[in-house]
């Protein structure tokens, strides 16, 4: 099998992919290869109208506190604009504007609010329907208290201590684990106080306060501490809560995927995994809407993706006599083959590499393809580049295409 030298054009790929997915994003200039999701409620605004909310959030969509606000905006179907703040180089106008200098912050009809909890409460006050706080006054008071508690009960600190501290002996680690488990037991108890899977009798701000953090922990702890929350019989209510969240479309728009969360912890915080940081949850990877979304994002963003690969993956080292043309073409070809595979599955042409007898240009093309594919597999980031479901499908497809190479 040799690598096909032709695949569909990007225009053809984009057209077919778009037929199978409604997901659209916009490219963010200068922040390659990232994209920005279009709020699902933007169409509700008459053309040329400024949305009532402006959200300031992190460029990479990694921040769990920003995710809380985004989750509420999507649940409440509030049209909003986003301004992305580069946290490694915050603009002066932002640090002048926001006293804490942190993200998220928001302007709600021109009025600045910061701190995720306060933004959530301000959105609730200004856009009461659909409500994310219970109507019943007594339950409403409990809800407000639990929103406060989520910030002050120390759950997050205990969790991150267990995850990130590097204890010198096993006893210390066991203690960190026991303290964290006790705090999960408390959440388990709290979840049992009202009927149904959520903290209160309906989905509410309390669920939103916890979800980005519990999601990250459920992804990170198995890989970094060998500890499972999901599937752990000690926490049936927390598991039922995850299952209920999973039914909410807004959650799927804003959440990140496990691999993104696991790679991030290593890259950003330098923590070494004890297990495989790249396991794939393949449950969703065959769903056509996710595969098509991944192909659509790749097609739409291919120019910046290719530039990023050329600059950062190491393929430049394979330039022939200082000429990068072949390398660029090989990257482009393999990404198109990937998009093709996402759309057509096993009936798509795959790059080949198993037979010997390649000439040196063919060998270079395969080598560039392998490097480029390996790079994008770990470079893709949800929800920054595509939804979590699409990113999972994307990685699974890369694995298949890579497996055909050598
Ligand atoms: N209590 C704040 C926490 C926000 C926060 O810690 N944001 C982080 C990003 S996850 C940040 O802005 N970091 C930038 C910095 O520390 O300079 C909230 O709930 O909004």
């Amino acid at each position: 099998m040799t690598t096909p030298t032709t695949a569909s054009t990007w225009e053809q790929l984009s057209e077919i992919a778009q037929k199978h997915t409604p997901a659209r994003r916009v490219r963010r200039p200068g922040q390659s290869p990232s994209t920005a999701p279009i709020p699902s409620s933007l169409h509700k605004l008459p053309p040329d109208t400024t949305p009532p909310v402006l959200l300031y959030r992190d460029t990479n969509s990694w921040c769990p506190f920003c995710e809380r606000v985004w989750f509420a905006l999507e649940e409440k179907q509030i049209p909003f604009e986003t301004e992305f703040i580069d946290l490694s180089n915050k603009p002066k106008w932002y640090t002048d504007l926001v006293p804490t200098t942190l993200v998220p912050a928001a302007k709600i009809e021109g009025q600045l609010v910061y701190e995720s909890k306060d933004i959530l409460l301000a959105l609730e006050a200004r856009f009461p329907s659909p409500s994310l706080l219970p109507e019943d006054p007594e339950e409403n008071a409990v809800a407000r208290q639990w929103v406060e508690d989520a910030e002050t009960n120390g759950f997050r600190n205990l969790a991150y201590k267990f995850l990130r501290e590097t204890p010198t002996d096993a006893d210390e680690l066991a203690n960190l684990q026991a303290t964290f488990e006790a705090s999960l037991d408390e959440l388990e108890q709290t979840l049992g106080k009202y009927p149904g899977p959520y903290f209160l009798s309906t989905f509410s701000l309390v669920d939103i306060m916890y979800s980005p953090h519990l999601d990250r922990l459920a992804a990170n702890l198995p890989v970094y501490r060998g500890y499972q929350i999901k599937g752990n019989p000690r926490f049936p209510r927390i598991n039922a809560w995850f299952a209920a969240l999973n039914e909410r479309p807004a959650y799927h728009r804003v959440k990140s995927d496990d691999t993104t969360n696991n790679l991030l912890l290593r890259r950003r915080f330098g923590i070494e995994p004890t297990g495989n940081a790249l396991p794939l949850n393949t449950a969703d990877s065959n769903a056509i809407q996710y595969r098509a979304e991944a192909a659509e994002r790749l097609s739409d963003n291919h120019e910046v993706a290719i530039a990023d690969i050329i600059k950062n993956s190491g393929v430049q080292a394979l330039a022939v006599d200082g000429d990068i043309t072949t390398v660029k073409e090989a990257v482009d070809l393999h990404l198109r083959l990937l998009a093709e595979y996402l759309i057509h599955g096993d009936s798509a042409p795959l790059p080949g590499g198993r037979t010997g007898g390649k000439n040196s240009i063919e060998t270079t093309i395969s080598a560039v393809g392998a490097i480029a594919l390996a790079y994008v597999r770990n470079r893709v980031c949800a929800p920054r580049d595509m939804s979590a479901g699409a990113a999972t499908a994307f990685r699974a497809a890369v694995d298949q295409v890579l497996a055909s190479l050598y």
Side-chain angles (χ1 to χ4, degrees):
M1 191 164 39
T2 54
T3 300
T5 48
T6 55
S8 304
T9 63
W10 285 116
E11 290 72 24
Q12 291 163 334
L13 291 163
S14 168
E15 199 186 317
I16 308 172
Q18 288 198 2
K19 280 195 191 129
H20 291 94
T21 171
R24 294 288 175 279
R25 295 191 172 214
V26 285
R27 273 172 264 168
R28 280 190 252 152
Q31 291 170 344
S32 58
S34 55
T35 55
I38 300 170
S40 57
S41 51
L42 213 54
H43 67 274
K44 293 203 300 195
L45 277 185
D48 301 322
T49 320
T50 308
V53 174
L54 170 60
L55 170 65
Y56 299 103
R57 69 168 312 170
D58 62 317
T59 41
N60 287 309
S61 305
W62 291 336
C63 166
F65 305 95
C66 300
E67 186 179 315
R68 287 174 171 170
V69 178
W70 188 18
F71 196 173
L73 288 165
E74 285 291 338
E75 283 285 346
K76 294 173 82 64
Q77 297 270 300
I78 302 168
F80 65 99
E81 277 180 310
T82 307
E83 179 111 30
F84 293 93
I85 306 298
D86 180 353
L87 296 186
S88 60
N89 184 20
K90 286 185 240 179
K92 182 166 181 321
W93 64 261
Y94 188 75
T95 53
D96 286 347
L97 178 72
V98 179
T100 58
T101 80
L102 301 175
V103 290
K107 278 199 176 151
I108 304 178
E109 285 169 339
Q111 197 167 352
L112 179 75
V113 193
Y114 49 92
E115 284 293 314
S116 56
K117 179 199 73 175
D118 295 331
I119 303 170
L120 291 176
L121 292 169
L123 288 172
E124 217 41 45
R126 171 59 192 84
F127 305 95
S129 175
S131 180
L132 292 177
L133 286 172
E135 269 173 39
D136 173 74
E138 217 169 284
E139 199 179 334
N140 187 292
V142 172
R144 288 175 187 277
Q145 185 57 50
W146 286 1
V147 167
E148 296 297 328
D149 292 350
E151 285 303 80
T152 53
N153 65 8
F155 169 74
R156 245 182 11 245
N157 285 347
L158 293 174
Y160 287 118
K161 264 190 163 176
F162 175 42
L163 182 63
R164 292 182 193 168
E165 274 189 13
T166 37
T168 40
D169 64 72
D171 280 356
E172 211 181 322
L173 184 61
N175 280 340
L176 289 174
Q177 175 169 328
T179 325
F180 167 64
E181 281 178 312
S183 74
L184 274 185
D185 286 340
E186 269 177 41
L187 280 192
E188 184 69 19
Q189 300 260 312
T190 310
L191 276 163
K193 292 193 177 150
Y194 286 89
Y198 297 118
F199 280 91
L200 295 147
S201 48
T202 50
F203 177 78
S204 73
L205 291 187
V206 182
D207 303 296
I208 288 182
M209 290 293 287
Y210 284 103
S211 80
H213 293 99
L214 275 168
D215 247 351
R216 282 159 179 72
L217 289 167
N220 292 156
L221 287 172
V223 171
Y224 287 84
R225 282 288 177 252
Y227 186 85
Q228 311 284 339
I229 299 180
K230 286 194 177 164
N232 187 334
R234 179 165 170 169
F235 309 116
R237 293 195 186 104
I238 295 177
N239 276 282
W241 177 81
F242 273 125
L245 277 186
N246 211 30
E247 298 297 314
R248 306 191 75 83
Y251 172 72
H252 285 277
R253 288 180 69 82
V254 307
K255 77 190 285 283
S256 49
D257 70 308
D258 288 0
T259 308
T260 298
N261 282 329
N262 283 325
L263 286 173
L264 196 59
L265 204 62
R266 194 183 65 187
R267 260 185 226 146
R268 290 272 301 161
F269 301 100
I271 304 176
E272 279 311 313
T274 54
N276 178 8
L278 303 170
L280 262 189
N281 168 3
T282 48
D284 284 335
S285 56
N286 281 326
I288 182 62
Q289 81 271 20
Y290 286 139
R291 296 178 66 126
E293 180 189 337
E296 198 274 338
R297 296 309 324 128
L298 179 60
S299 306
D300 191 52
N301 212 25
H302 70 270
E303 282 168 7
V304 278
I306 291 169
D308 180 49
I309 292 166
I310 301 285
K311 185 163 171 236
N312 297 312
S313 74
V315 286
Q316 286 194 47
L318 294 173
V320 183
D321 298 330
D323 182 3
I324 198 82
T325 315
T326 309
V327 168
K328 269 193 186 146
E329 284 171 3
V331 172
D332 187 275
L333 172 66
H334 283 83
L335 291 192
R336 280 184 291 128
L337 290 169
L338 172 61
E340 193 105 51
Y341 182 76
L342 278 161
I343 295 169
H344 297 297
D346 288 335
S347 62
L350 286 170
R354 290 199 189 103
T355 50
K358 286 183 166 192
N359 64 33
S360 77
I361 288 289
E362 286 166 345
T363 309
T364 304
I365 291 172
S366 293
V368 169
I371 295 168
L373 290 169
Y375 177 78
V376 290
R377 187 204 192 278
N378 291 358
R379 177 71 172 79
V380 73
C381 181
R384 181 192 64 194
D385 307 319
M386 55 188 73
S387 72
T392 304
F394 183 90
R395 291 196 180 93
V398 173
D399 286 350
Q400 291 300 316
V401 177
L402 263 176
S404 78
L405 259 173
Y406 292 107

